[in-house]
């Protein structure tokens, strides 16, 4: 099984009905929306790192994803780029597991198989992918969220939101196949959520876009939607509007 590609520090045998939420860096992580959404979800669900790839250089060109030299508490440390899994070491009736996926350069089919085996081993019930992309949309209206779902119907008002389907055609990632594979082979419930960001908004951290993803997830998982990303994002877009008016 390709699950052996991962170092997992939990007893997976007792997990059932696990819900997976994934992001993909860097492909659909415009404005760091996936990163910031996952970072907030880790805090909301009180999760911790539970696994990562054993040999990331099998999948990643380390001259493109550079290891990073850090200084932590006076000690030198190298952080190696990797796909990371967040979860709870204690099993619950509904387990939330976050997949912080780094897009592979090599052996993408093996990478996908490893993710599928991991999800199967943790008895996955639902798979949700989230991300952001640039689009011809204005900053003066709520950032649109598009997507699709199979095998279930998301709650109101999310199912109304998802009637706006993306018309995107063009390049994609090999990992985009995961949603289809998981639904067809494991009969999992699937959902994709994509926030559309104005082409002219170039923020390193677009908190308003991240808050739109979190807002839509809150309809499903019933967590409070007063997360700080919303206010940060509103302030960012107020400044953008002012700057555009002054030009």
């Amino acid at each position: 099984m390709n699950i052996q590609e991962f170092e997992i520090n939990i007893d997976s045998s007792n997990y059932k009905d696990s819900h997976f939420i994934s992001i993909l860096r860097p492909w659909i992580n415009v404005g760091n929306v996936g990163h910031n959404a996952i970072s907030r979800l880790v805090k909301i669900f009180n999760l911790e790192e539970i696994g990562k790839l054993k040999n990331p250089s099998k999948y990643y060109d380390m001259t493109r994803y550079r290891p990073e030299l850090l200084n932590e508490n006076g000690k030198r440390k190298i952080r190696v780029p990797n796909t990371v899994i967040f979860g709870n070491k204690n099993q619950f009736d509904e387990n939330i597991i976050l997949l912080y996926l780094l897009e592979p350069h090599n052996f993408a089919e093996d990478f996908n198989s490893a993710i599928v085996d991991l999800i199967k081993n943790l008895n996955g019930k639902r798979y949700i992918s989230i991300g952001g992309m640039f689009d011809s949309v204005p900053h003066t209206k709520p950032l649109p969220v598009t997507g699709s779902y199979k095998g279930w119907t998301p709650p109101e008002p999310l199912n109304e939101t998802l009637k706006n389907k993306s018309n995107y055609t063009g390049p994609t990632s090999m990992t985009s196949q995961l949603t289809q594979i998981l639904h067809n082979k494991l009969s999992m419930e699937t959902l994709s959520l994509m926030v559309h960001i104005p082409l002219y908004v170039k923020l390193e951290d677009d908190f308003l876009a991240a808050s739109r993803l979190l807002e839509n997830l809150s309809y499903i998982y019933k967590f409070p939607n007063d997360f700080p990303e919303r206010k940060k994002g509103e302030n960012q877009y107020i400044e953008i509007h002012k700057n555009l008016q002054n030009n």
Side-chain angles (χ1 to χ4, degrees):
M1 291 177 64
N2 281 344
I3 192 175
Q4 294 173 357
E5 297 288 296
F6 288 96
E7 294 176 348
I8 304 293
N9 57 2
I10 56 172
D11 179 6
S12 61
S13 61
N14 295 324
Y15 278 74
K16 62 178 182 179
D17 295 337
S18 299
H19 289 211
F20 291 81
I21 303 174
S22 77
I23 67 162
L24 178 65
R25 302 165 295 148
W27 178 245
I28 49 172
N29 192 39
V30 170
N32 257 340
V33 293
H35 168 82
N36 287 315
I38 286 288
S39 297
R40 178 56 53 191
L41 291 172
V42 166
K43 296 175 182 177
I44 288 172
F45 295 119
N46 192 28
L47 305 179
E48 59 186 306
E49 183 179 319
I50 60 171
K52 59 186 177 181
L53 287 169
K54 289 179 182 177
N55 298 300
S57 61
K58 172 182 176 179
Y59 298 104
Y60 306 128
D61 180 347
M62 293 300 176
T63 65
R64 296 172 67 185
Y65 296 153
R66 287 281 182 181
E68 186 178 2
L69 190 60
L70 307 175
N71 194 333
E72 294 184 356
N73 300 320
K75 295 183 179 181
R76 306 282 272 178
K77 179 181 179 181
I78 294 180
R79 181 167 61 196
V80 177
N82 207 339
T83 283
V84 182
I85 306 157
F86 296 91
N88 198 304
K89 292 183 178 179
N90 298 313
Q91 295 83 34
F92 296 98
D93 289 338
E94 185 176 81
N95 295 291
I96 305 295
I97 298 171
L98 308 180
L99 301 178
Y100 198 78
L101 304 181
L102 186 61
E103 185 175 24
H105 298 121
N106 313 305
F107 301 105
E109 295 88 352
D110 289 348
F111 181 86
N112 284 352
S113 294
I115 297 296
V116 171
D117 282 349
L118 171 73
I119 291 173
K120 183 178 180 180
N121 196 59
L122 292 171
N123 289 294
K125 178 182 179 182
R126 180 180 298 162
Y127 178 80
I128 299 175
S129 62
I130 61 175
M133 62 182 288
F134 287 126
D135 199 358
S136 299
V137 296
H139 71 281
T140 52
K141 294 183 178 180
L143 300 181
V145 175
T146 60
S148 61
Y149 54 89
K150 288 185 178 180
W152 68 303
T153 301
E156 298 281 359
L158 184 55
N159 63 338
E160 287 296 320
T161 299
L162 296 180
K163 288 182 178 179
N164 301 315
K165 297 187 180 297
S166 174
N167 294 318
Y168 173 79
T169 58
T172 189
S173 167
M174 285 289 285
T175 61
S176 299
Q177 301 173 85
L178 282 170
T179 297
Q180 184 176 359
I181 293 170
L182 291 167
H183 178 70
N184 291 343
K185 290 191 174 182
L186 302 184
S187 300
M188 286 183 65
E189 302 170 354
T190 63
L191 170 67
S192 64
L193 293 174
M194 185 72 65
V195 60
H196 297 250
I197 300 169
L199 287 165
Y200 51 87
V201 174
K202 308 294 185 181
L203 295 171
E204 183 175 349
D205 290 289
D206 192 324
F207 290 111
L208 190 62
S211 75
R212 288 287 287 138
L213 293 174
L214 291 167
E215 176 187 343
N216 281 277
L217 289 172
S218 73
Y219 300 139
I220 302 172
Y221 295 108
K222 309 302 181 185
F223 55 79
N225 59 12
D226 56 349
F227 26 79
E229 286 78 9
R230 183 191 301 277
K231 188 61 178 176
K232 287 182 182 179
E234 289 172 351
N235 290 336
Q236 284 179 321
Y237 275 61
I238 288 172
E239 287 301 313
I240 289 170
H241 188 69
K242 287 180 180 178
N243 293 335
L244 290 172
Q245 284 185 316
N246 292 333
N247 286 337

